[in-house]
Amino acid sequence: MGLLAGVAATVHAPYLTAFPERVDADALTITTDGFTRLGAMFSRTSIDGLLVVTCEHIVNLEPRLVPPFTIGVGERHPVFHEPHFRLPGGDRLGDPELGRALYDELTERGFDIAHSVEVALDHGTMVPLELMQIEDVPVVPVVINTLFAPLPSLRRCAQLGTALAAAIEAAPGRRRIGVLATGGLSHTVGAPGMDRIDAEFDARFLVALADGALDRLTEFDEATLDAAGNGTHEVRTWITAAAAASGLSYEVVTALPNVAGWDVGVHQVRWTA
Amino acid sequence: MSTDRLTQVLVDVTRGRSHSAFLEDPDAVLDASGLSTELIDAIKQNDYAELHRAGAHPMALLYLSRAMGCPLDSYLDQLARGGAAR
């Protein structure tokens, strides 16, 4: 039996590593401290593996083939090198045994999730791992399609989170597994509005998250998410984490609603036993 | 022409299967892409507003602008002046 050793969700905006000099000292300190606290949480619980529920940026997914959910079952996962974001290249240790076990359990629970021995990790995964200073822990990525419509519904993402938590508990061995969701709240990528967020949406989402209200988290329709910015669809990872964390205690780690210079909110939360 | 097809071509030439060939002979790659003459011309002329109006995925379009050396501010300004996606 495995153990769900903690769940967290965090921003992954690449400007955090690319342009730390653009923001004021207080914001940088608070952000750095937040990532340090999340890294310490997983270190303190001595996790054997980290399930990263992530979205990506046209590195694995493209219109030619777009599974709604993909789990990485590789021995190692190549890092998509993004030196312009001051991120390293190379690769990261995977855990194919855990990945396959989770795949099997998810299938049993009605999730025909795609699997891949070569899920490339872009800044959506690497910004948090670098800033949390998580280096040696095996990573099992779960990529959610937040790019190419039609996207998986928010309700289906919540169901995935519930199923992932159960799959972790059913995994062989005595692994202690952490879950890290990465993604932004409201933001826009590649279109006018990249310097804006939707504070009203973020506040409404965060209140529902704090309340553990999956019904309210999953009631946002596609038009609402589109209006808050095309990157807002990344909240699917947060909803997956919230569902996986059912029954755990919720805590806000970082809450910077809008950081000038990065032009995003820096939000981080965690759920612990 | 589906917007997905347009986006796929942009992905292919900037980071996908046609990337190397595009660097060597962009005309040949675009001519074989199956895109309309208007869209091929828009790519060749760095007309991001037209590609945006035609429904190219904004992230794929951003990557094209980067590959073509277009500064982010200029790219966003072109889109802002060029109207919304169709």
Side-chain angles (χ1 to χ4, degrees), chain A residues 134-154:
Chain A
I134 291 179
E135 296 176 356
D136 299 327
V137 176
V139 168
V140 175
V142 173
V143 178
I144 297 179
N145 169 31
T146 61
L147 287 174
F148 299 114
L151 309 179
S153 71
L154 303 188

Side-chain angles (χ1 to χ4, degrees), chain A residues 12 24 31 53 66 79 102 110 122 128 131 145 170 172 188 204 209 259-260:
Chain A
H12 70 220
D24 69 49
T31 301
V53 180
V66 195
V79 173
L102 296 177
D122 72 5
L131 294 177
N145 169 31
T188 297
R204 192 172 150 206
L209 194 73
V259 178

Side-chain angles (χ1 to χ4, degrees), chain A residues 3 22 25 53 63 65 69 80-81 156 163 199 217 219 229 232 247 266 273:
Chain A
L3 174 70
R22 284 188 180 178
V53 180
L65 185 61
F69 307 111
F80 183 76
H81 196 201
R156 190 63 172 157
L217 288 171
E219 76 180 6
T232 312
V266 174

Side-chain angles (χ1 to χ4, degrees), chain A residues 91-102:
Chain A
D91 59 14
R92 286 280 177 150
L93 182 64
D95 188 338
E97 184 182 358
L98 175 62
R100 296 271 180 203
L102 296 177

